[in-house]
Amino acid sequence: MNFPKELKYSKEHEWIKVEGKRATIGITDFAQSQLGDVVFVELPNTGRTVKAGETFSVVESVKAVSDIYAPVSGTVVAVNEKLNDTPEAVNLSPYEDAWIAVIEMSDPGELEGLLDSGAYEQFTAEGGH
């Protein structure tokens, strides 16, 4: 299992990479392994305003359909349109090619509530729920 140290994590299994006020978001290696083969990703609309903890995307696999929650509040400024044609990228490259969206954060202070890689790794080792 891969837990890149430069990322933050939510207990709902999203990863977040922060660059200035922008946060790139995807689902973790742990999440994709639990889902199995991903067959569809419903992307949010750009320009949409989201609140932390709100559903903003859906990932469908052969096993289940899972809501994806925004780990921070803000406005969706970009989405990964490549996932429309290659949803399996979520399984193959969850941290590189399969980012879901970029959010311009409205409250960077919300980052304090997220986990670092060590805490997230421990969380998943304890069952991740």
Side-chain angles (χ1 to χ4, degrees):
M1 204 65 58
N2 189 7
F3 303 94
K5 297 212 179 300
E6 70 276 15
L7 304 178
K8 294 274 199 179
Y9 301 87
S10 72
K11 288 186 175 181
E12 290 74 32
H13 307 291
E14 290 88 15
W15 59 261
I16 179 169
K17 179 179 180 182
V18 177
E19 295 170 289
K21 288 192 75 175
R22 291 190 170 207
T24 303
I25 296 160
I27 67 168
T28 66
D29 194 18
F30 177 83
Q32 71 79 22
S33 71
Q34 296 293 305
L35 285 170
D37 295 336
V38 173
V39 295
F40 179 73
V41 179
E42 181 183 309
L43 299 169
N45 292 324
T46 55
R48 177 178 167 189
T49 301
V50 296
K51 291 185 176 183
E54 179 179 284
T55 300
F56 83 118
S57 176
V58 175
V59 173
E60 184 176 335
S61 73
V62 294
K63 288 183 179 176
V65 176
S66 296
D67 290 335
I68 307 302
Y69 302 96
V72 292
S73 301
T75 303
V76 176
V77 294
V79 295
N80 187 354
E81 306 258 353
K82 291 179 183 175
L83 293 177
N84 289 328
D85 296 327
T86 57
E88 66 275 13
V90 172
N91 297 113
L92 302 172
S93 179
Y95 299 114
E96 301 291 330
D97 298 329
W99 58 276
I100 293 174
V102 177
I103 292 178
E104 180 93 20
M105 294 184 288
S106 59
D107 182 6
E110 292 173 340
L111 295 170
E112 299 299 318
L114 299 175
L115 305 172
D116 64 20
S117 64
Y120 181 68
E121 185 172 0
Q122 183 175 351
F123 177 70
T124 60
E126 293 168 353
H129 301 287

